[in-house]
Amino acid sequence: VKEGPPPLSVIQQPPPPHAIQTGTHTPPPVVNPAPFTAARPAPAGPVTPDRSAGARPLNNDKLVFPPEMEEAGRTGLVHVSCDVSAAGTTSNCQVTSVSGGQAFARSALDYVQRARYAPAIRGGVAVPEPHHPYVITFKLDDSEE
């Protein structure tokens, strides 16, 4: 007896799936977007230009002419360097040069330490300014002679 190939089996295929109805689909219109730019908030008022700390005190503090120098008829010039805070107060004040006498240096240093100044402005914001120079001049009033 001859063995032959096995008998073929018939595999039934599953029935085709139900047909899916297709509808009409219109794609949304293509809109070319505007290029991205970061929005900057508008300033809340007039733009304040950048500047250094003020040279004149805001609190109307008066410079005291040393009495002994006034009696002697002497004049003086003092250069002072101070750190000016964002609030306009001074700190770390140092006399960098003086002419006329040390009494002028003491008076000038006392003056800039009591004074309140307009602070430095950067980008519209008050900022500290280190080593701001001040020149204090001591002159005699000629009208009294």
Side-chain angles (χ1 to χ4, degrees):
V1 179
K2 215 177 177 187
E3 288 188 33
L8 290 177
S9 351
V10 177
I11 301 177
Q12 291 192 348
Q13 294 290 329
H18 295 294
I20 299 175
Q21 293 185 355
T22 58
T24 58
H25 173 63
T26 306
V30 176
V31 178
N32 292 332
F36 177 75
T37 55
R40 289 187 178 179
V47 176
T48 304
D50 289 354
R51 63 175 165 77
S52 295
R56 296 182 183 261
L58 298 175
N59 59 343
N60 297 322
D61 202 42
K62 302 292 182 204
L63 178 64
V64 176
F65 202 106
E68 66 274 18
M69 296 300 193
E70 189 173 24
E71 289 172 13
R74 295 180 67 180
T75 60
L77 181 68
V78 183
H79 292 258
V80 180
S81 174
C82 294
D83 295 342
V84 181
S85 74
T89 59
T90 58
S91 63
N92 301 321
C93 296
Q94 297 178 0
V95 173
T96 56
S97 71
V98 61
S99 65
Q102 287 303 309
F104 290 123
R106 286 188 297 275
S107 181
L109 198 56
D110 183 52
Y111 173 69
V112 295
Q113 288 173 333
R114 288 190 322 262
R116 299 297 174 260
Y117 298 93
I121 301 294
R122 298 287 177 269
V125 177
V127 296
E129 182 177 349
H131 313 294
H132 185 80
Y134 291 99
V135 178
I136 312 299
T137 305
F138 293 87
K139 290 192 232 179
L140 294 169
D141 187 7
D142 292 335
S143 65
E144 292 182 9
E145 293 180 7

